[in-house]
Amino acid sequence: MNIVVCVKQVPDSWAEKKLNPSDSTLDRDSVDAVMNELDEYAVEEALVLQEAHGGEVTILTMGPEKAGETIRKALSMGADKGVHVVDAGLHGSDAVATSAVLAKALGTLEWDLVIFGIESTDARMSVVPAMVAERLGSPQLSFATKVDVADSTVTIQRQTEYGFDTVEAKTPAVVSVVEKINEPRYPSFKGIMAAKKKPVTTLTLADLGLGADEVGLAGSWSAVDEFAARPPRQAGSVVKDEGDGGVKIAEYLAGQKFI
Amino acid sequence: MTSSVQRSLPTDEAHELLGLTRELATTELAPRAAADERAGRFPRAVFTTLGRAGLLGLPYPEEHGGGGQPFEVYLQVVEELAGAWLSVGLGVSVHTLACFPLAAYGTDAQRDQWLPGMLGGELLGAYCLSEPHSGSDAAALATRAVLDGDDYVVSGTKAWITHGGVADFYDLMVRTSDDRTRGITCLLAEAGTPGLSAAPPERKMGLTASVTAQVLLDGARVPAARRIGAEGQGFAIALAALDGGRLGIAACAVGLAQAALDAAVGYARERRQFGRPVAEHQGLTFLLADMATQVAAARALYLDAARLRDAGRPFGTAAAMAKLFATDAAMRVTTDAVQVLGGYGYVEDYQVERYLREAKLLQIVEGTNQIQRLVIGRALT
Ligand SMILES: Cc1cc2nc3c(=O)[nH]c(=O)nc-3n(C[C@H](O)[C@H](O)[C@H](O)COP(=O)(O)OP(=O)(O)OC[C@H]3O[C@@H](n4cnc5c(N)ncnc54)[C@H](O)[C@@H]3O)c2cc1C
C-alpha cells in the first residue's frame, strides 16, 4: 500500500509571529521553522500503516526552499522519499490555491491513501484535506482518531463531540488525523543519516502544468486587506471571596456568556 | 540546558546527533527531571526512548548495531543528557561502560550473539565491581564463582550497583582463584538468572531517580559460555572499562556544571539589588567568570583525553585527570551557583540545590578523586 503524507513547514507555534507590511503574508524569516506538529501524527500513522501493510511512504510538501528541511525530518522518521513543490509563484497561496497545487502533485504519484494532519498551526483552517479530496474526486475521511485498512477499504473513527463515528470508504482515499491518534516517534540517529541518501524530487509550477494566475496571491480566492497587532492581554480580574465568591464567579461567567 | 555551548565536532553527522540529543533532552528529560528526582522515580521509559533514537550504543561499531561514533562525540552526547538530567546522563554512561567488556574482549561468536541486543536500545546494563568491603580496593573483591559442569556458580554481594534490579544484563567481576588481581574473572549474566536478585535500593542524597542497589548472588548459575575473556583476565577488563567510564563521569560533571552555570547566569541577569542586576556587581561577575572558566577547562580536558583514545593512544592518565578535574569543578561550580542565587538557591523551587547534591556523587564514583590522584601520581613516579 502506497501512502503520501502532506506536510507543511510552519513557524514555530510558540514563537511571536509577524506579517510582512508589504503584502500581508507571514514573515517567515523572523521565526524558526518547524514541521507543523499536527503533521507529525500523519507521518507516524503512515509509518505504522506501512509497518503493517508494506508499500512506500512519500512525503509531499509545498513551500520555499527551506521547507525541504521538513521533508528531511519526515524521511529521518522513516518515510521513503520526498516530493517538494517549490516555485516563487507560490508565494501567498491561500487554502484554495494550495489545494490546487497539492492535488496536481498528487496526480503525478501512485497512492492508495493520502494522509494529512488535521490543520496547520499557522493557518488553522482544517480545510485543505477536504479541498484536495474534492479536487481529486476521492472520498475523504477526516478527523480520524483511528485508521484501519483491509482489502482496499479504509475505516476510520471520526472524532465527534459525543464520541466517534465510524466512516468507511474504498481506497484510494484522503484521510486527515487528529493528535489523539498516536504518539509520533523521534527520528533516530541512524534514521537521520539514512535520510540524507533518500530521494527528494522537486517540482515547479510548470512541471505541474499550473499557470501563475492559478496560484500565489493572484490565484487566491481570499485576500488580507488589513491587519493589526493583537491588543495586549487584559489584566485578569480578581474575585475576593467574602463568602460570596461562588456567586461572583457565576455572575462573571454568565456576563461572558460562558454559562 | 547546555544549548549555549559552542561545540567543536568532527563531522556533520556529529552535529546532527547533538541536535537530536538536544531535542530529546529538552522535550523528554528536562520537563520531568525535578519531579522524578523528588519522587525517586526511575525513568525506564526515557531510556527506551533514547535507545530507539540510537543513543545507547554510540561508541561501538555499526556492524554490531552501535553508532560508530568516536568517544569525542559520544561524550558530548552524555554531557548534553547530564545537563538536562544527571540520573539519565549517568545511566547512559554506565550502560555504555557495561557494554565494553563484551565489545572489547568477547569472542566474535559472543559479540554476534549478544552485542546487537545490548546496543540496540531496548536493554539496559549494569557493571558490578564494588562490594560492601571492597570499594577503592576493588581487587579485594570476594564474590566467588566455581565452575560446575558448564556453569559458574556464583555467590556473594555486589554493592552500589547502578541499575541494580532494573538492568537487563550484569557484568559480574568475580573471584575464580585466590591470586589477588589475576584471580578475577568477568561474567556477563542475564537478569532473571535464578539466584541473582537485588536488595532494596539505597536511599541517596541525590540522583534519587537513578536506582543504586546491592546485587545479591546466591548460587546463581551463569553459563561458562558467558565468560568474557580468559579466566583471571577480569580485573584487567574491569580497569580498561573504567578508563572509558571515567571519561563518561567527566562528561556528566561538565554537563551538570554547565547547567548550574546557565541557571546562575540567567538568575543573576534578572535579580536586581542596589538598583541593578546582581550580575553587574563585579564581585559576582568575577564569580560567574571563574565558574565559566572551570566548565570550559573541564570540557577541554575530557575532550583531549577522548581524542587520545580515539587515536588509539594511551589515555588512562588523561582520563583520570579529566575525571578528577571535571568532578571537582562541578562541585565548586554547583556550590557557587547556590551562592549566586542566595536564599533562592537554597530552596527546591530552583534546581541549583539539587545540582549541588548531585555533584558530590561524581567525586566518589568510578574511583574516588583520591584514587584518581593515585593513578595520576603512579604515572609520574
Ligand atoms: C550512587 C553510586 C553509584 C555507584 N555505582 C556503582 C556501579 O554501578 N558499579 C560499581 O561497581 N560501583 C558503583 N559505585 C561504587 C563506587 O565506585 C564506590 O563507592 C567507590 O569506588 C568508593 O568505594 P567505597 O565507597 O567503598 O569507599 P572506600 O574505598 O571505603 O573509601 C573511603 C575513603 O577512603 C579514601 N581512600 C581509599 N583508599 C585510599 C587510598 N589508597 N589513598 C587515599 N585515599 C583512599 C577514598 O577516597 C574515600 O574518601 C557506586 C557508588 C555510588 C555512591
Side-chain angles (χ1 to χ4, degrees):
Chain A
M1 185 174 65
N2 293 322
I3 304 175
V4 179
V5 185
C6 296
V7 304
K8 182 181 182 187
Q9 188 175 53
V10 297
D12 189 347
S13 358
W14 306 106
E16 189 75 29
K17 291 157 218 160
K18 284 191 297 222
L19 299 185
N20 289 311
S22 57
D23 63 0
S24 307
T25 60
L26 181 73
D27 176 7
R28 293 183 190 273
D29 295 334
S30 69
V31 281
D32 284 346
V34 296
M35 183 195 297
N36 172 36
E37 285 164 38
L38 296 164
D39 294 344
E40 291 184 16
Y41 300 89
V43 174
E44 175 67 28
E45 197 58 23
L47 295 174
V48 169
L49 288 169
Q50 181 191 38
E51 280 158 19
H53 302 281
E56 272 195 327
V57 175
T58 304
I59 304 301
L60 170 61
T61 199
M62 168 190 130
E65 199 80 40
K66 192 171 158 55
E69 295 166 1
T70 291
I71 294 182
R72 286 288 163 208
K73 162 116 191 222
L75 296 179
S76 68
M77 288 170 75
D80 300 293
K81 56 190 181 120
V83 175
H84 186 175
V85 185
V86 52
D87 196 302
L90 291 166
H91 178 75
S93 296
D94 69 356
V96 172
T98 300
S99 70
V101 176
L102 292 179
K104 280 278 190 198
L106 285 164
T108 70
L109 302 168
E110 299 261 327
W111 47 269
D112 304 285
L113 276 190
V114 175
I115 307 184
F116 283 88
I118 191 56
E119 63 181 13
S120 59
T121 57
D122 56 348
R124 314 208 53 176
M125 289 169 63
S126 294
V127 293
V128 170
M131 289 175 172
V132 169
E134 190 63 26
R135 288 185 187 272
L136 294 167
S138 296
Q140 52 155 314
L141 304 90
S142 52
F143 294 89
T145 56
K146 189 170 188 300
V147 178
D148 287 308
V149 182
D151 308 330
S152 324
T153 301
V154 54
T155 309
I156 69 151
Q157 288 185 358
R158 180 182 209 273
Q159 176 177 279
T160 63
E161 274 172 30
Y162 41 84
F164 63 84
D165 294 329
T166 301
V167 184
E168 199 177 279
K170 287 279 172 222
T171 56
V174 174
V175 173
S176 69
V177 302
V178 299
E179 299 166 79
K180 248 187 264 173
I181 195 163
N182 57 39
E183 190 63 50
R185 69 196 66 189
Y186 286 95
S188 70
F189 176 45
K190 291 200 176 97
I192 291 171
M193 299 331 300
K196 292 191 188 300
K197 300 190 190 94
K198 292 178 178 173
V200 177
T201 318
T202 54
L203 296 173
T204 60
L205 286 175
D207 295 332
L208 296 177
L210 282 164
D213 54 337
E214 294 173 81
V215 298
L217 287 167
S220 290
W221 292 15
S222 59
V224 179
D225 289 333
E226 58 179 316
F227 62 87
R230 179 172 45 192
R233 191 196 275 261
Q234 303 285 309
S237 47
V238 177
V239 176
K240 195 159 178 218
D241 184 14
E242 286 158 342
D244 58 352
V247 176
K248 282 187 184 156
I249 286 173
E251 279 169 0
Y252 173 82
L253 290 173
Q256 300 288 319
K257 300 206 161 49
F258 284 126
I259 54 174
Chain B
M1 276 324 80
T2 52
S3 49
S4 55
V5 178
Q6 292 293 324
R7 297 198 175 279
S8 94
L9 292 164
T11 55
D12 283 350
E13 175 175 290
H15 277 285
E16 302 265 10
L17 174 60
L18 267 290
L20 172 64
T21 305
R22 267 191 291 271
E23 182 185 356
L24 288 161
T26 314
T27 54
E28 297 290 323
L29 272 53
R32 46 187 293 192
D36 279 1
E37 287 294 333
R38 203 165 292 151
R41 215 168 19 227
F42 175 66
R44 183 63 182 88
V46 168
F47 286 94
T48 306
T49 303
L50 297 182
R52 291 190 180 151
L55 269 47
L56 292 189
L58 285 174
Y60 297 107
E62 285 172 276
E63 57 169 316
H64 290 119
Q69 292 303 298
F71 241 57
E72 169 191 11
V73 173
Y74 152 68
L75 290 173
Q76 298 195 63
V77 168
V78 169
E79 184 196 318
E80 288 281 351
L81 296 173
W85 192 354
L86 183 59
S87 284
V88 174
L90 184 93
V92 170
S93 176
V94 168
H95 167 83
T96 306
L97 163 77
C99 295
F100 180 83
L102 174 61
Y105 294 89
T107 63
D108 285 344
Q110 286 177 320
R111 279 197 284 250
D112 289 345
Q113 194 173 356
W114 298 311
L115 206 47
M118 288 159 59
L119 303 179
E122 301 291 328
L123 304 184
L124 200 57
Y127 171 92
C128 312
L129 177 63
S130 306
E131 296 186 1
H133 300 289
S134 69
S136 300
D137 186 9
L141 66 87
T143 295
R144 276 269 164 199
V146 180
L147 198 58
D148 175 34
D150 291 338
D151 298 332
Y152 283 99
V153 180
V154 187
S155 291
T157 300
K158 290 293 171 183
W160 307 110
I161 304 309
T162 301
H163 303 156
V166 298
D168 301 290
F169 61 90
Y170 295 83
D171 298 340
L172 301 176
M173 308 306 156
V174 296
R175 183 158 294 291
T176 44
S177 91
D178 289 333
D179 187 304
R180 192 176 134 82
T181 52
R182 278 181 223 101
I184 295 172
T185 298
C186 176
L187 303 177
L188 175 59
E190 281 183 295
T193 302
L196 185 159
S197 64
E202 306 293 346
R203 291 172 306 178
K204 306 192 293 294
M205 68 183 266
L207 287 101
T208 41
S210 173
V211 178
T212 314
Q214 287 190 346
V215 170
L216 313 174
L217 298 148
D218 181 12
R221 297 189 78 90
V222 179
R226 289 187 151 269
R227 187 187 71 218
I228 306 299
E231 224 178 64
Q233 202 185 354
F235 197 61
I237 295 175
L239 293 189
L242 280 180
D243 281 341
R246 283 169 184 163
L247 288 178
I249 301 301
C252 283
V254 172
L256 181 68
Q258 180 75 50
L261 170 67
D262 290 348
V265 169
Y267 183 89
R269 282 194 193 138
E270 298 280 319
R271 174 71 171 175
R272 299 177 72 86
Q273 292 292 285
F274 301 98
R276 50 185 162 139
V278 293
E280 290 174 18
H281 295 295
Q282 199 180 59
L284 210 63
T285 321
F286 280 13
L287 186 61
L288 293 171
D290 284 344
M291 290 162 72
T293 306
Q294 292 280 317
V295 175
R299 182 177 295 117
L301 207 50
Y302 90 62
L303 285 175
D304 184 55
R307 287 171 187 142
L308 285 175
R309 187 187 192 280
D310 291 332
R313 308 268 293 280
F315 71 101
T317 311
M321 288 176 175
K323 196 272 180 184
L324 168 64
F325 185 85
T327 60
D328 281 357
M331 195 70 245
R332 211 155 36 233
V333 169
T334 54
T335 305
D336 288 345
V338 171
Q339 193 69 19
V340 169
L341 270 73
Y344 297 93
Y346 200 68
V347 293
E348 285 187 4
D349 308 57
Y350 292 82
Q351 312 221 27
V352 291
E353 62 82 29
R354 173 161 66 82
Y355 296 159
L356 185 157
R357 288 185 282 109
E358 292 176 342
K360 189 65 219 173
L361 175 69
L362 302 175
Q363 296 180 305
I364 297 170
V365 284
E366 300 202 19
T368 65
N369 283 5
Q370 284 73 29
I371 295 304
Q372 306 304 328
R373 289 181 172 92
L374 213 79
V375 170
I376 299 161
R378 254 186 222 143
L380 296 173
T381 53

